[in-house]
Amino acid sequence: MAPHATLVTLALGLCMSHSSHAFTTPISSARRTVGPLLMASDEKPTKTLTSGKKEIAFDEDAGRFFETSLDECIPDEEYCMIDETTGKPIRLTIEEKERIFLDSLQSYYASGRKLLDDAEFDLLKEDLQWNGSQVVVMNRKEAKYLAAMQAYLRGKPILSDSEFDTLKAELKEAGSKFAVSTEPKCYIDTGICRVTFQHDNFRNNLLYLPAFAIFSLVWLGVSFELIEPIIRINPVILIFLGSPFVWAGTNFVTDTFLFPGNYVAYGPCPSCEINNRVYFGDILGVEGFSKQAEIKCPNCKTDITVQRNTLRASTLPKV
């Protein structure tokens, strides 16, 4: 038995030495083949990925990602604003670029005045297209609306006043950014600030909740007393069967007695941009605003006039 044990011991020793050599040799050779580290700042990034407040660039030559500053703007590749004090380009957000694009279009078609030259406008439009902005894509009605505005300024209108108002109302109902200006604008010559409010569907529907709850309970009580002795029905099915009657009664009582002519709108103050709400209609027989509402901003105390048909909110002219 002793010779066999000696042979086994020698075999294990040889395996251990070969395995140790096999593991150490590649590591040492790998250490010798490592070259100098490449700094990402020395190479020009070829691909970028923006997320949140940081931008990640990928360097294909170095094969690594690294952070870049969002304050750096490349005028040849994107639309930039120039700082008047330092003369350096400033990177804008997508929302800021969209506002400049819309202002440029409306200024050109409404007054014929160019806010940007052709090269800057083309660069801005291309930048927004690459960023997937929907503002640069106009449908047929929006193009017709801008063409009608330009033709009217030239003295050759292509639409009558009623047709233009109908077209503008359709664009407002569709939420078009060309016909609805949700950002306040102020005019230096008159001092008037204007903005377009929006319909508050959520709060408008809440006005029907009291009558709906009362009619639902009445329907459940009456139907349960009349139908329960004949056949047992799930209350959920009873509510579903009576929903047309409940909804009809809710609309009739709310629109006739509780809140006649109700309409709720909201939007920023044209002066300080604090959110404001206005209610058109009567409340339990008490007359309210009908065609025009005059409210006061709770923040800046500015008097605001809101038109119901257009939801156009404006401040009073400054003397």
Side-chain angles (χ1 to χ4, degrees):
M1 297 297 293
H4 292 287
T6 304
L7 292 175
V8 172
T9 303
L10 291 174
L12 289 174
L14 290 174
C15 291
M16 298 269 307
S17 62
H18 283 294
S19 62
S20 175
H21 178 72
F23 282 108
T24 56
T25 300
I27 296 176
S28 61
S29 62
R31 290 177 180 174
R32 289 195 298 269
T33 57
V34 174
L37 293 176
L38 296 177
M39 300 301 293
S41 59
D42 296 336
E43 302 292 338
K44 183 178 179 181
T46 56
K47 297 180 180 180
T48 59
L49 176 64
T50 304
S51 177
K53 297 182 179 179
K54 296 182 179 180
E55 184 178 70
I56 304 299
F58 178 72
D59 190 346
E60 292 183 349
D61 297 333
R64 64 175 61 197
F65 290 93
F66 62 94
E67 295 182 3
T68 60
S69 175
L70 284 178
D71 296 333
E72 300 176 359
C73 187
I74 306 175
D76 295 335
E77 299 181 1
E78 59 181 323
Y79 179 79
C80 307
M81 292 290 293
I82 305 299
D83 191 352
E84 297 181 356
T85 58
T86 61
K88 296 182 179 180
I90 303 175
R91 174 170 288 179
L92 303 176
T93 61
I94 300 300
E95 291 76 12
E96 292 173 336
K97 293 177 182 178
E98 289 178 345
R99 177 186 289 188
I100 295 175
F101 180 80
L102 291 176
D103 289 343
S104 301
L105 280 179
Q106 292 177 350
S107 177
Y108 177 75
Y109 284 103
S111 61
R113 183 169 58 93
K114 290 185 177 181
L115 299 181
L116 302 174
D117 56 31
D118 294 341
E120 290 179 339
F121 183 81
D122 293 339
L123 180 60
L124 175 60
K125 183 178 181 179
E126 183 180 0
D127 188 0
L128 290 175
Q129 287 177 340
W130 277 104
N131 283 278
S133 176
Q134 299 296 326
V135 174
V136 295
V137 182
M138 290 189 297
N139 55 33
R140 181 178 59 85
K141 291 184 178 180
E142 291 172 341
K144 184 178 180 181
Y145 173 77
L146 294 179
M149 293 180 61
Q150 188 178 30
Y152 178 79
L153 293 175
R154 292 176 178 176
K156 299 178 180 179
I158 59 177
L159 296 176
S160 62
D161 294 342
S162 59
E163 292 176 342
F164 182 81
D165 294 339
T166 302
L167 177 61
K168 188 173 183 179
E170 292 177 354
L171 291 177
K172 283 186 176 181
E173 185 177 356
S176 173
K177 294 185 178 181
F178 292 94
V180 178
S181 177
T182 58
E183 298 293 336
K185 295 181 179 180
C186 297
Y187 300 89
I188 300 178
D189 52 350
T190 60
I192 299 177
C193 298
R194 295 178 179 175
V195 70
T196 302
F197 277 22
Q198 301 180 38
H199 184 207
D200 195 340
N201 294 299
F202 176 73
R203 287 174 173 78
N204 215 143
N205 292 331
L206 285 180
L207 299 176
Y208 295 84
L209 184 59
F212 178 78
I214 295 174
F215 273 94
S216 298
L217 293 176
V218 171
W219 167 259
L220 281 177
V222 173
S223 60
F224 186 80
E225 292 294 335
L226 296 178
I227 301 177
E228 181 66 18
I230 303 174
I231 183 173
R232 184 179 296 273
I233 300 179
N234 193 306
V236 177
I237 299 178
L238 286 177
I239 295 177
F240 178 76
L241 294 176
S243 58
F245 306 101
V246 172
W247 184 245
T250 299
N251 288 337
F252 176 76
V253 172
T254 302
D255 295 337
T256 307
F257 302 103
L258 299 181
F259 307 102
N262 60 82
Y263 193 89
V264 183
Y266 73 98
C269 172
S271 181
C272 66
E273 299 188 9
I274 295 297
N275 201 19
N276 287 263
R277 289 182 176 84
V278 58
Y279 172 79
F280 293 95
D282 303 338
I283 301 177
L284 296 175
V286 180
E287 294 185 359
F289 300 121
S290 57
K291 297 181 179 180
Q292 177 177 303
E294 296 179 357
I295 61 176
K296 185 181 292 291
C297 177
N299 182 55
C300 63
K301 309 302 179 183
T302 302
D303 294 327
I304 306 173
T305 302
V306 184
Q307 305 293 332
R308 176 168 179 164
N309 56 347
T310 61
L311 294 183
R312 179 62 62 88
S314 60
T315 60
L316 298 178
K318 297 181 179 179
V319 180

